[in-house]
Amino acid sequence: MIRNCNQKFFIGNSIVAILILHFIFLPIEGNAQTVVKIGSKKFTESVILGEIATQLAKSEQFSARHKAELGGTRVLWNALNNGEIDVYPEYSGTLRQEILANREVAGFSSVISYLDSLGIIAIGPLGFNNTYALGALQETAQKYDLKKISDLSKYPQLIFGFTNEFMDRGDGWPSLRRAYGLPQKDVRGLDHDLAYRALENGSLDVIDLYSTDAEIKYYNLLILQDDLHHFPEYEAYFLVRKELLKAAPEFIQALKKLTGRIDALKMSALNAQAKLEKIPAAQVAAQFLKSTFQLEQNYKKEALWGRIWQRTKEHLFLVLVSLSLAILISIPLGVLAAKIKTGGSIILGIAGIIQTIPSLAILVFMIPLLGIGAQPAMMALFLYSLLPIIRNTFSGIKDIPTPIFESAIALGLSHFDRLRFVEIPLATRSILAGIKTAAVINIGTATLGALIGAGGFGQPILTGIRLDSTALILEGAVPAALLALFVQGGFDVLERVLIRHK
Amino acid sequence: MITLQNVSFSYPSEAILTNFNLSLKRGTTTILIGPSGCGKSTILRLINRLIIPGSGAILIAGQRVTENNIQSLRLNMGYVIQEGGLFPNMTARQNISLMARRLAWPEEKISKRLEDLASLTHFPVDNLNRFPSQLSGGQRQRVSLMRALMLDPEILLLDEPFGALDPLIRLGLHESMREIFNRLKKTVVMVSHDLHEAAFLGDEIILMNKGKIIQTGPIETLIKTPAQKFVSDFIRAQRSHLPEVEND
C-alpha cells in the first residue's frame, strides 16, 4: 500500500533490536555465590587499592568485580550506602571533611561508630597518610622564595589550580584561604591529573597535591610546608558493608591483613609504577600482593581488540537503549506539541530546560534514583535525546505547507489517518534529522557514563587522562568518533530509503 | 443545495463576513469573484468547515453542518485548491485513490474509476505512477481534480484552481473543466479573481467586495446592468483580458 507505513515497522524493529541487544550485552550475573563489588575513585591510587582488594577477594575464591574510576567521593559513598558496591578505599580526612562535614564528630572513634550505625565498617589504616598539600615547580618556588603556605599571602598574582573536590570541601580552599589569609583571586577548579600538566606548562603556579602522588618526585615539585597545620590526616581505610562479614568472612580477614602494610613510600612507589611507568593498575596490584603476601595472581592483560570490542558493546548498549526509548517517547510528544495549541510550547520548553542541564550534573542527579552503572547513564542520555527529536518532529509537522495540510482535512481523512499517511511521512526527513542529531550527541555524551560506572568508550579516556596516555585516550576517542560517523552515515542511507519523493 | 444563514466569521484583527446569507442551487456552477480579501475563499473554507463560523448556520442539502457530521459530509464534497495540495509523498495514483482505499473500495472498482477519471480529465494513464514533483503544473491540477472527483461527490469546491498556471495550460484546463461540469452536473462552487474564467465556466457569478455580495447573475447581467459603480469598475479593470462577450 502506501510506502510510508514503513515508519511503523521501523519503530517496531528497533524495539526488537533493543531486546536482542539486551540479551547479548547484559553480562550473565554470577551464580548464587557472593559477588564482591569493589569501587574506586578516578585517581590512580584509588584504582590500585581497589585492584588490590579485588585480587584479594579472588584469591579467597570469591567472584569480584571492580568498578574502577567512578567519579568522585559522593558517587562512591552513595553507591556504598545503596549496596551497589561493597567495598571502596577512602581516607579518614575525606570522611570527616566531606562525607560527615555537617556532623560534629569529635575523634576518629566517633566516625567509626557513626559508620557502624550505617552498617559500614572501616578496615585499616593501611599505613600511609595521603594528606593534601600545596606544591609548585622549583623555579616558581625560587622566584618567589616560597617555602611555606603562609609565604603565598605576599603574592596575590599567583594563579592557583585546585581539584574540584578541594574547591569546596571542609578543609579545602575556602577554609585554607581563611586560615592563611590568602589574597589570590585567580583560582581555577580542574581535574587533578590535568593540573600537573598545567603546572608544568606554566598555566598554573600552585596546585593541590596528594602527598603520595608519584608526580611530586617526577616533576621535582616543592611541597609548601603546612605551617599552620591546616590539613588533617588522610589515612587510608577500606570502607566495607557489614553484610560481607557474614557473606565473605575470608575476604574481610584478607583485607585486615593489609592494615599497616602500605607506608607512604610504598604507596608512592606503586603510584609511580602505574602513572609513570604505565604499568596497568591490575599488574601493579598483583606485584604488590606477590611481594607482600606471596600471593600468586594470574593476571592477564586483555588484548587491545578484545578491550575495544567490550567497550563498543557497552557504549552501543547505552546509546541504543537510551536513543530507542527517546524515539518512542519523543515522536508522539512532538506530534502532540504540534497538534495542541497551548501545551506545545510547554512540552518544548521542558525538553529545552532539560537540555540546558550540564551532562555531568544530570548523571550525578540520577545516582540517588538509579544508583550507578548503565541505568542512570541511559536515563541521562535518554533525557538528552528528547529535545532534538521532539523539536524536529514538531517543526517537521508545523512546516507542512497549509494547502497540503488542509487538503488532507478536506478530503475527509480522520485525525489518525492524516498523521499516518500525510503528516508523519512528510515530517520524516525532519524527524530523522532530529534522531541523527540526538544519536551523535548521545554517542559523545555517553563517554561521560564511565564516571558513574557505565563503561563504554569513556573508560579508556578516563584512564588515559589519569595516566597521561594519549594512546589510551585515542583508544576511547577514535572508536567513539568512528561510531558517530557511522551512525550519521546510517541515517543518511535510511533517509534515502524512506524518502523517495522530492 | 448549499445555504449560508446569517454566517459571521472574523479573525482576531478583522471581521471577514458579518450576517452573510447565500443560497446555491443543486447542479449549477457558481463563481465567487471579487478583489482579494473580499471573503470569497472564506466561504469555501466555511462550507468545508476548515474554519468554523462564529455565528450562523451552514446547511448542506437541508442538513446543518456540525463537528459530528462533517467527516461524512466531506466525502460528498470534492475540494481543489490553488497549488493543488497534492501529497508529495504519494504518486498521483495514491493521491487520487487514498480516500477510496480508506473506505475499503475493492481494487477493481478503484482501477476502473481511475481509468474513467483519467480519460475524463485527459490525463495520460502512464503518469499516474509519478510523484507530483514529476508532473507539470497542469497535470498536477488535473490530478487534484481527479482526487476531488474520485468518490463522485455531489459538491465540488474549487479555490482558485488555475491561479498558479500559465495562460496556455490554463486555457486547456478551462475547456476540460467546462466539459466536466456540463457532463457531471455537479454543484460547483469556484473561487476566482479572473472575470474571463468566471464568464467561461460559471452559470452564475457572485461578485463580492469587503464581505458583501454586490451583484449576482450571469456575466451579461453584470456587464449590461451593473448594480453599482464597483461592478463596472471591476469589469473595466479586467476587460482588456476579455476576448469578446461570450454567447454560450
Side-chain angles (χ1 to χ4, degrees), chain A residues 197-265:
Chain A
R197 262 155 269 169
L199 190 69
E200 189 191 19
N201 73 20
S203 332
L204 296 174
D205 297 315
V206 176
I207 64 171
D208 62 321
L209 314 162
Y210 307 129
S211 50
T212 52
D213 280 351
E215 289 87 344
I216 296 172
K217 208 169 144 195
Y218 179 74
Y219 291 111
N220 189 22
L221 301 184
L222 181 98
I223 304 263
L224 297 172
Q225 194 200 332
D226 182 13
D227 48 336
L228 298 182
H229 304 289
H230 171 74
F231 292 119
E233 301 236 297
Y234 278 78
E235 289 189 296
Y237 288 83
F238 279 107
L239 297 186
V240 183
R241 285 175 69 84
K242 270 188 194 166
E243 290 97 289
L244 280 195
L245 287 173
K246 282 212 183 75
E250 303 88 345
F251 170 56
I252 300 294
Q253 284 311 314
L255 270 188
K256 281 185 175 163
K257 281 196 288 183
L258 285 172
T259 304
R261 294 308 290 267
I262 312 174
D263 61 19
L265 234 74

Side-chain angles (χ1 to χ4, degrees), chain A residues 242-355:
Chain A
K242 270 188 194 166
E243 290 97 289
L244 280 195
L245 287 173
K246 282 212 183 75
E250 303 88 345
F251 170 56
I252 300 294
Q253 284 311 314
L255 270 188
K256 281 185 175 163
K257 281 196 288 183
L258 285 172
T259 304
R261 294 308 290 267
I262 312 174
D263 61 19
L265 234 74
K266 185 81 206 160
M267 196 65 239
S268 287
L270 296 177
N271 287 340
Q273 284 172 25
K275 285 209 81 157
L276 306 178
E277 295 166 42
K278 313 281 186 214
I279 300 169
Q283 199 178 333
V284 173
Q287 283 165 2
F288 166 80
L289 288 174
K290 190 178 174 195
S291 62
T292 315
F293 299 114
Q294 287 76 51
L295 272 176
E296 274 303 335
Q297 289 296 320
N298 44 352
Y299 161 79
K300 62 175 194 298
K301 195 179 177 206
E302 222 185 330
L304 175 67
W305 293 112
R307 283 203 308 266
I308 292 181
W309 172 233
Q310 179 61 28
R311 299 305 176 210
T312 308
K313 283 193 295 185
E314 289 164 353
H315 208 88
L316 273 180
F317 182 57
L318 293 177
V319 170
L320 285 176
V321 173
S322 59
L323 187 66
S324 308
L325 279 177
I327 292 170
L328 287 180
I329 304 283
S330 305
I331 294 179
L333 277 179
V335 169
L336 199 65
K339 289 281 170 184
I340 54 180
K341 279 196 185 107
T342 43
S345 49
I346 297 175
I347 293 174
L348 288 169
I350 291 173
I353 289 168
I354 292 173
Q355 201 76 13

Side-chain angles (χ1 to χ4, degrees), chain B residues 82-127:
Chain B
Q82 185 164 340
E83 303 289 347
L86 293 178
F87 307 132
N89 54 318
M90 300 181 201
T91 62
R93 182 187 301 277
Q94 290 169 331
N95 261 289
I96 300 165
S97 62
L98 175 63
M99 208 55 220
R101 284 180 206 276
R102 297 313 295 150
L103 297 170
W105 280 25
E107 205 56 43
E108 312 87 76
K109 188 178 170 191
I110 291 175
S111 310
K112 178 75 178 52
R113 180 79 183 140
L114 276 164
E115 269 173 46
D116 290 352
L117 286 172
S119 89
L120 181 73
T121 57
H122 306 292
F123 186 85
V125 180
D126 293 346
N127 287 1

